Amino acid sequence: MKQKIFITTPIYYVNAKPHIGHAYTTVVCDVYARFCRMMGYDVKFSTGTDEHGKKIEQSAIKLNETPKEFTNNISKLFRDLLPVLNISNDDFIRTTEERHINTVQHFWNKLYDNGYIYLGEYKGWYDIRNEAYFDESELVDGKSPLGGEVTYMIEPCYFFKLSAFEDKLLKFYEENPEFIFPISRRNEIISFIKQGLKDLSISRTTFSWGIPVPNDPKHVVYVWLDALTNYLTVNGYPENEDQNNDNYWQNSIHFVGKEIVRFHALYWPAFLMAVGINPPKQIVSHGWWLSEGEKMSKSLGNVQDPVKYCKLFGSDALRYYLLRELPFGADGNFSLNNFINRYNSVLANSYGNLCNRVISFISKYANNTVHKPFTFTDDDINFSNQIKSCIEEAFDNIKNYSFHKYLEKLENAFTLSNQYLDNQKPWLLRNSDVKRMEDVLYVTLEQIYNITNALYPVMPMSSEKLLKSIGIDINNMHSEFPSIIQIVNPEVLFPRIDINNIEKFDVYANN
Ligand code: ME8
C-alpha cells in the first residue's frame, strides 16, 4: 500500500486579493505534493480561505456588502488562482462551510469536556488588524508589537488553559526534533515558551462574524482556533474521529510563512493535545518576499500579481522563479528585471535551447527518429552518470525543502548536456558518421527526458509539452526511455523575453 502524506497551505485571509506571497506558499506545497506523488506517495493536498473575524466584518461593511457576499467574492479569487498556477490540490476549504463549522464546534466541545476551557474576563489592548490582545508593557510607540492600532477593551471571554502545556510542549519538541523546520524557528518557539505561557483567550463578543460558541452564542470562536481546525476538517474529523490512527494525519505537513509559526507550532499542538490528538508531523516555515526591494503594499502600487505573471510568461516560469530565487526559509526580493534575467539565462538559453536544438536537429537531419545505440562510448556513459548524480543530488535537496538547490542541481544538468553536445558536435558528424550522429542525439535526448522528469514537479506544463513532442504519453512518464523515439509536432519551449520591453509588462495588481 502507498504511504500517505497530507500537505497543507495556510488558509488565506480574504481581506485582500491574492498576491505573489500567497502564490509562493501554494506553489511550494504544490511542488512538494507533485514530488511526493512522483516518489509513489498517496498525497492529500489542501488549501483554502480563512473567512471569519472582525477585520473581515469591517472590510465588508466598508464596501456596503454583507460579510458573506464579501467573503464569497474574495475567496473566489483565491480559488480561481489555483488553475492559473497549475495547482494540484485535492481540497479547497472555506471556514464558512457547514462541514467546518461542525468540526470547530465539535472540537470546542471536546476541549470543554476535557476541562481546558473556562469563562473569564479579558482586559487589554486589542489590535484589530492582527486580532490579538497585548499587555500595556508589550506596546511599541502606542501600537501593538505587530504594528496595528490598538484599543483598550474589557470583554467576557472563554480561555484555553495554555499554561498547562508548557512542559508537555517542551517535551514534545525534545522528542520530535524535526517538528519545527528550520531549526532556527524551533529555537525561537522554545525560548518563547521558557518565558512562561499565559492562558489564551479563545472567544470574542465584540462582533458576530464567526462560528458561535456552543451553548453560548453571544460569543464567537477566536479566529485562530477556528482557522487552525481547518486541517482537521479537511481530514474528515469528527466523522473520522481516530486521527491518531489516520495515516494522512500522522504524516501531515503544514507549510506556513514565518510570521505564523507560533500559531502552528505552539497553539495548535496544545489544542490538539488537549483533545487527545497527536500534533501534525511537521511545521515547515518559509521567509518573506519583498517586491522591488520594498514591502508589498497597495499604497506603493508594488503588489506583484501572480495572474499577470502567468499570463505574460506562463505558470511554469513563475513557479520556477519563485522556487529558484529564494533560498527556502530566507527572505528575498521579487523583481521583474531579475525574473526576466533568470528566465532568459536558464529557461530560454540553457534548458529551452538544449531541448529545442536537439529536437529540431532530429527533425531536420535524422528523419524525426532516433534509435537506441548498440554500443555506448565512454563519453556517453560518463555523461549519463553525471546527469544521474545531478538528479540524485537534486532529489536529496528537495526532500529537505531546499527547493533552490534542487533547481540549481538540475541547472548543472542542463549545462552538462549542452557541453556534451558541443563536444560531440553532431552537426559535423552529419557529414562524417551519420550513425554516430544519431547515437549522440539519442543519448542527449534520453538525458533531456530524465532531466525533464525530474523538473516535472516545478514545471509540469512544459514537461508535458516536451514529452508529447517526443511521443511519450504523460501517463508513461517516469518509465524507462523507449528504444525508438519519434518527434511529433515540436513546440518551442521558453522563447526569449525581450528585456528591452520591460516597461511594457504590466505585472502589478490594480488597486
Ligand atoms: O495568516 N512573502 O493568512 P494570510 C511570502 N489566515 N509569503 C507570504 C507573503 C509574502 N510577502 N505574504 C503572505 C493568515 N504570504 C491566516 C492563516 S492558517 C490556519 C491561517 C503567505 O492571508 C505566507 O505563507 O495573512 C503566510 O503565512 C500566508 O501567506 C498568510 O496568509
Side-chain angles (χ1 to χ4, degrees):
M1 213 173 62
K2 283 184 171 183
Q3 198 182 332
K4 292 191 161 99
I5 188 163
F6 180 24
I7 296 168
T8 67
T9 76
I11 48 170
Y12 302 105
Y13 281 133
V14 291
N15 55 339
K17 289 197 282 192
H19 59 58
I20 216 79
H22 306 115
Y24 178 58
T25 319
T26 307
V27 166
V28 163
C29 290
D30 186 62
V31 170
Y32 198 70
R34 286 179 188 268
F35 174 72
C36 290
R37 286 192 203 104
M38 195 164 111
M39 294 288 120
Y41 284 82
D42 169 355
V43 177
K44 184 188 296 203
F45 166 26
S46 74
T47 182
T49 45
D50 184 358
E51 307 190 7
H52 291 126
K54 187 164 188 159
K55 214 179 353 178
I56 287 162
E57 193 177 71
Q58 287 181 335
S59 305
I61 292 169
K62 250 192 226 158
L63 289 179
N64 229 348
E65 289 176 3
T66 63
K68 188 74 204 154
E69 284 164 343
F70 178 80
T71 53
N72 281 349
N73 292 339
I74 310 241
S75 176
K76 185 168 183 313
L77 297 177
F78 279 91
R79 190 193 285 262
D80 290 349
L81 177 62
L82 302 171
V84 175
L85 291 170
N86 206 356
I87 302 301
S88 61
N89 57 307
D90 302 292
D91 201 344
F92 184 90
I93 172 136
R94 300 183 55 185
T95 54
T96 44
E97 285 173 64
E98 209 50 46
R99 59 168 172 161
H100 180 66
I101 296 168
N102 290 339
T103 303
V104 170
Q105 292 183 330
H106 182 93
F107 193 75
W108 178 285
N109 286 334
K110 280 262 168 189
L111 290 171
Y112 193 88
D113 293 346
N114 289 354
Y116 288 106
I117 292 183
Y118 63 92
L119 186 62
E121 193 176 63
Y122 208 93
K123 296 179 190 143
W125 294 93
Y126 189 62
D127 172 344
I128 297 183
R129 181 149 60 104
N130 295 294
E131 318 233 9
Y133 271 105
F134 295 97
D135 284 342
E136 180 100 35
S137 62
E138 290 175 287
L139 301 187
V140 182
D141 298 331
K143 290 193 175 177
S144 92
L146 302 174
E149 297 292 338
V150 289
T151 357
Y152 192 75
M153 300 219 293
I154 302 178
E155 53 172 330
C157 87
Y158 287 96
F159 282 87
F160 171 70
K161 287 187 187 163
L162 185 64
S163 56
F165 289 88
E166 274 178 30
D167 293 341
K168 290 191 187 111
L169 286 167
L170 291 173
K171 182 161 173 272
F172 174 73
Y173 304 141
E174 176 99 29
E175 286 169 357
N176 298 278
E178 313 233 305
F179 176 62
I180 306 174
F181 180 93
I183 195 101
S184 52
R185 301 269 167 243
R186 175 177 188 264
N187 299 340
E188 283 169 19
I189 296 289
I190 291 177
S191 52
F192 180 81
I193 296 184
K194 286 192 171 158
Q195 290 164 24
L197 289 179
K198 281 190 251 162
D199 290 348
L200 184 71
S201 105
I202 52 161
S203 78
R204 301 285 183 265
T205 51
T206 49
F207 59 92
S208 58
W209 182 240
I211 298 180
V213 165
N215 304 318
D216 197 352
K218 284 193 303 302
H219 293 253
V220 293
V221 176
Y222 172 46
V223 71
W224 270 103
L225 174 54
D226 166 350
L228 288 162
T229 310
N230 93 83
Y231 303 125
L232 283 181
T233 307
V234 168
N235 209 34
Y237 182 84
E239 285 74 24
N240 178 11
E241 176 105 46
D242 188 7
Q243 295 285 322
N244 292 344
N245 283 309
D246 180 282
N247 291 329
Y248 285 120
W249 187 256
Q250 292 316 304
N251 273 312
S252 50
I253 305 179
H254 301 328
F255 283 86
V256 297
K258 62 180 183 180
E259 82 294 356
I260 56 174
V261 171
R262 190 187 296 173
F263 296 96
H264 283 82
L266 195 164
Y267 297 165
W268 185 223
F271 293 151
L272 288 164
M273 286 172 181
V275 300
I277 298 179
N278 297 335
K281 183 160 163 227
Q282 199 173 34
I283 309 299
V284 177
S285 98
H286 65 70
W288 266 51
W289 286 99
L290 295 175
S291 162
E292 309 294 350
E294 298 192 80
K295 197 168 176 220
M296 259 183 283
S297 84
K298 273 195 198 169
S299 52
L300 289 176
N302 69 346
V303 176
Q304 307 266 10
D305 183 344
V307 176
K308 290 188 174 173
Y309 273 88
C310 290
K311 284 205 178 124
L312 283 165
F313 312 114
S315 57
D316 281 357
L318 176 62
R319 293 165 63 102
Y320 164 80
Y321 179 76
L322 285 169
L323 291 191
R324 180 62 178 87
E325 178 63 23
L326 198 64
F328 191 77
D331 292 342
N333 183 33
F334 197 105
S335 116
L336 174 61
N337 189 62
N338 190 9
F339 178 97
I340 296 179
N341 284 333
R342 275 207 191 274
Y343 175 103
N344 279 340
S345 68
V346 178
L347 298 185
N349 292 358
S350 190
Y351 176 63
N353 185 42
L354 170 71
C355 301
N356 298 333
R357 74 173 169 150
V358 170
I359 289 176
S360 72
F361 200 92
I362 297 174
S363 300
K364 279 197 200 134
Y365 304 115
N367 205 12
N368 274 323
T369 314
V370 281
H371 297 84
K372 186 171 183 170
F374 293 118
T375 50
F376 293 96
T377 66
D378 286 349
D379 282 354
D380 300 346
I381 293 166
N382 282 341
F383 168 51
S384 304
N385 287 339
Q386 282 175 321
I387 300 299
K388 195 167 165 222
S389 56
C390 288
I391 292 175
E392 278 167 7
E393 287 171 31
F395 285 176
D396 286 345
N397 278 297
I398 196 175
K399 283 179 197 153
N400 295 317
Y401 314 117
S402 277
F403 297 95
H404 68 296
K405 287 212 182 123
Y406 146 78
L407 287 171
E408 202 177 87
K409 300 294 173 193
L410 295 180
E411 284 168 17
N412 293 345
F414 312 155
T415 308
L416 288 166
S417 307
N418 277 314
Q419 277 168 3
Y420 170 82
L421 264 189
D422 291 344
N423 293 337
Q424 299 298 321
K425 302 187 175 43
W427 48 93
L428 295 185
L429 292 168
R430 215 181 110 213
N431 301 318
S432 58
D433 186 346
V434 173
K435 180 75 195 72
R436 177 64 193 152
M437 173 196 82
E438 282 187 18
D439 290 356
V440 166
L441 294 170
Y442 181 95
V443 169
T444 321
L445 201 56
E446 177 169 13
Q447 296 318 320
I448 290 179
Y449 170 77
N450 290 335
I451 297 168
T452 301
N453 273 332
L455 277 174
Y456 173 79
V458 178
M459 304 204 285
M461 200 108 86
S462 28
S463 303
E464 286 184 25
K465 220 191 244 182
L466 182 112
L467 295 183
K468 225 165 122 196
S469 71
I470 59 172
I472 295 180
D473 187 280
I474 188 67
N475 297 317
N476 292 335
M477 73 183 298
H478 311 308
S479 47
E480 208 184 319
F481 191 59
S483 47
I484 304 176
I485 288 289
Q486 222 159 12
I487 307 294
V488 268
N489 304 326
E491 282 180 68
V492 173
L493 291 181
F494 303 113
R496 275 184 72 81
I497 303 171
D498 183 0
I499 191 110
N500 297 319
N501 264 339
I502 192 160
E503 304 300 326
K504 290 202 197 128
F505 296 128
D506 166 24
V507 290
Y508 298 116
N510 310 330
N511 281 335

